[in-house]
Amino acid sequence: MQLTDLTAVQLLDGYRKGEFSPVEATEQALERARRIQPEVNAFARLTEEEALARARESAARWRRGEPAGLVDGVPVTVKDLLLLRGHPTLRGSKTVPEQGRWDEDAPPVARLREQGAVFLGKTTTPEYGWKGVTDSPLTGITRNPHDTTRTAGGSSGGSAAAVALGAGPLSLGTDGGGSIRIPAAFCGIFGLKPTYGRVPLYPASAFGTLSHTGPMTRDAADAALLLDVIGTPDPRDWSALPAAPGSFTEALRGGVRGLRVAYSPSLGGQVAVRPGVAAAVRRAVTALAELGAYVEETDPDFSDPVEAFHTLWFSAAARLTQGFPPHRRGLLDPGLREICARGARTSALEYLAAVDVRARLGRRMGDFHERFDLLLTPTLPLTAFEAGAEVPRGSVFRRWTGWTPFTYPFNLTQQPAATVPVGTDGAGLPVGMQIVAARHRDELVLRAAHALFEAGAASAGPVTTGVAEKDRPL
């Protein structure tokens, strides 16, 4: 049995029944990680010795019938923007010294550690998570598991590739403008950007309240399980929300019958969506209607807030690197240096004007969700393009935000938003559909996604071609 093909929920069921152990699952996940690394480059580092030690401890607890928590023995990966005790967090940058104490876990990592998770390693990110593809001066290019000539997306590209290829069913990603949803859509997995504050973050992101932490998994059931673990308060994050009123896993059972759903195929004609993407998304929308949701094709009616997003994003990048001396600044990704220079020229009045745009957008979406429980859009207007480029070849856009207009608006509004794998385009590349709900209604996003998975209208099974195929028995 290939345990790398199983979800976290399935692994836990197997542990419970004594069919296999966390040691076997961890050994297979590490073997898969080692095999995919040369071609896909999903990992900044593997933590093999620690993983096997934790797996052995977990196996002993399961034999005693005393699991430590909800994810005891499940292999997990952590994006290399989040602290993992005992290992450097280099953020994809040559400007971060590897030497240091590294003696603290980020809040979601701490919650996973408390509940017995097995940490396989740190996944790749662009430098400081600044863009929507994953390549960095430190770790190079992370590639798409479906076609290694193409990008995995970003900035949580390593996490998306690892989950897609079976190197751990659970991963922690971060999302400041789409950084969970973009790579999840490109790699054909599920990714959730929860309501801001649902998952505590420490140290605070340089990108402030745009940045969210959330689950990257094969399906909604695993994401709900992971959110049940990590979605609890931590005193180090002053902006964290109180504990959720109930279990996200339990909320999956609600279904979608009677939900009021808005479907916006192009945000009112503002976005040119490729035909293969549009067709796959429309099929998933139809499936949701067949499950009993009331679907109406309509738009939230807002203009593209990209300039406000750029003002906030570029200013944050400039603040992040403000104290860098010239030799250290010279180590940065050239694109990051460029946006830092632009952000440094932003005035306080310009910044506050962007905050006003954000507030108006938040109010508009609040009003919109008085009428609709959910908003559906394509996650992206295109599928994965060539690896190593910030924008597709021939694009009129200079920055990554030009090709991801469906994602960053909902970082500005702090709403929960997920991407669900809903098929492929004509070239066999994954397509994602975005599900958005009002703030604090994460359970609705998960319910709708789970209904699609249960109905077979969404799928994120293991990749069975390309690099993963080499790991399969003859």
Side-chain angles (χ1 to χ4, degrees):
M1 176 186 294
Q2 288 291 313
L3 302 184
T4 51
D5 292 350
L6 302 184
T7 66
V9 170
Q10 291 168 332
L11 285 177
L12 290 163
D13 186 55
Y15 299 163
R16 197 173 295 111
K17 294 174 179 176
E19 295 174 348
F20 44 79
S21 79
V23 174
E24 294 170 279
T26 299
E27 287 174 341
Q28 289 194 24
L30 286 169
E31 176 63 17
R32 178 64 61 87
R34 287 190 294 267
R35 291 200 180 200
I36 67 174
Q37 182 62 11
E39 293 182 68
V40 175
N41 189 31
F43 288 90
R45 70 178 55 231
L46 290 171
T47 55
E48 298 185 50
E49 186 176 329
E50 176 187 333
L52 290 169
R54 287 185 63 81
R56 288 189 288 268
E57 293 167 358
S58 173
R61 290 191 294 269
W62 279 105
R63 285 194 296 270
R64 296 194 304 268
E66 300 172 352
L70 294 177
V71 290
D72 198 350
V74 177
V76 177
T77 57
V78 178
K79 184 179 181 179
D80 199 34
L81 293 183
L82 298 169
L83 296 177
L84 175 64
R85 193 174 74 210
H87 304 281
T89 297
L90 302 182
R91 300 172 173 86
S93 183
K94 292 181 177 179
T95 68
V96 179
E98 190 166 339
Q99 299 74 26
R101 294 176 62 182
W102 305 114
D103 58 356
E104 200 167 14
D105 284 329
V109 176
R111 303 294 84 76
L112 284 164
R113 190 182 297 278
E114 291 161 4
Q115 300 211 30
V118 172
F119 300 109
L120 299 179
K122 304 297 289 294
T123 55
T124 53
T125 175
E127 194 164 28
Y128 296 104
W130 80 271
K131 60 183 175 179
V133 293
T134 299
D135 59 75
S136 77
L138 183 68
T139 57
I141 298 170
T142 297
R143 298 176 181 275
N144 194 295
H146 296 265
D147 179 347
T148 55
T149 68
R150 298 175 186 262
T151 181
S155 63
S156 306
S159 288
V163 170
L165 287 166
L170 305 179
S171 193
L172 293 177
T174 66
D175 189 315
S179 289
I180 285 172
R181 290 158 290 156
I182 295 167
F186 276 176
C187 293
I189 67 166
F190 181 79
L192 171 67
K193 177 187 76 67
T195 300
Y196 178 80
R198 171 50 54 213
V199 180
L201 185 59
Y202 171 85
S205 170
F207 298 103
T209 58
L210 293 171
S211 187
H212 304 55
T213 301
M216 302 183 72
T217 60
R218 291 218 185 110
D219 62 19
D222 269 12
L225 170 68
L226 183 49
L227 194 57
D228 278 336
V229 174
I230 65 176
T232 56
D234 188 288
R236 294 172 291 174
D237 183 353
W238 63 270
S239 63
L241 295 173
S247 163
F248 292 105
T249 298
E250 292 296 322
L252 293 175
R253 302 172 184 171
V256 297
R257 185 166 300 279
L259 290 183
R260 302 162 300 163
V261 177
Y263 166 45
S264 177
S266 61
L267 293 181
Q270 295 183 84
V271 184
V273 179
R274 292 189 180 172
V277 172
V281 171
R282 188 171 288 275
R283 286 193 296 269
V285 173
T286 300
L288 209 61
E290 291 171 349
L291 292 170
Y294 298 113
V295 178
E296 177 182 337
E297 188 167 324
T298 189
D299 300 302
D301 191 27
F302 59 76
S303 57
D304 187 354
V306 68
E307 289 307 319
F309 180 82
H310 281 168
T311 296
L312 299 173
W313 193 255
F314 297 169
S315 298
R319 178 69 180 92
L320 172 69
T321 60
Q322 185 178 23
F324 285 15
H327 74 275
R328 192 176 175 200
R329 190 175 294 272
L331 298 173
L332 293 172
D333 180 329
L336 178 56
R337 281 204 308 272
E338 186 177 314
I339 71 163
C340 288
R342 180 171 165 184
R345 298 192 294 270
T346 301
S347 71
L349 289 177
E350 290 169 328
Y351 187 92
L352 290 172
V355 171
D356 288 342
V357 170
R358 185 179 190 180
R360 289 194 297 271
L361 179 60
R363 177 177 177 178
R364 180 174 292 277
M365 290 309 302
D367 290 341
F368 183 81
H369 285 292
E370 289 292 299
R371 295 182 289 125
F372 295 100
D373 298 301
L374 296 172
L375 168 66
L376 308 179
T377 75
T379 306
L380 297 162
L382 75 176
T383 49
F385 52 87
E386 59 270 22
E390 185 182 343
V391 299
R393 187 179 294 114
S395 174
V396 298
F397 302 108
R398 180 168 176 77
R399 297 270 76 100
W400 62 273
T401 44
W403 51 264
T404 181
F406 292 109
T407 60
Y408 55 77
F410 304 109
N411 292 82
L412 290 166
T413 62
Q414 303 186 338
Q415 295 172 245
T419 183
V420 183
V422 293
T424 59
D425 67 357
L429 294 169
V431 172
M433 181 179 75
Q434 182 171 234
I435 305 177
V436 184
R439 292 176 75 239
H440 313 297
R441 298 308 308 270
D442 304 72
E443 84 287 352
L444 281 182
V445 173
L446 288 164
R447 273 173 53 190
H450 184 63
L452 288 170
F453 279 106
E454 290 282 281
S459 175
V463 179
T464 56
T465 58
V467 293
E469 196 168 64
K470 300 176 183 179
D471 200 30
R472 295 178 176 275
L474 295 176

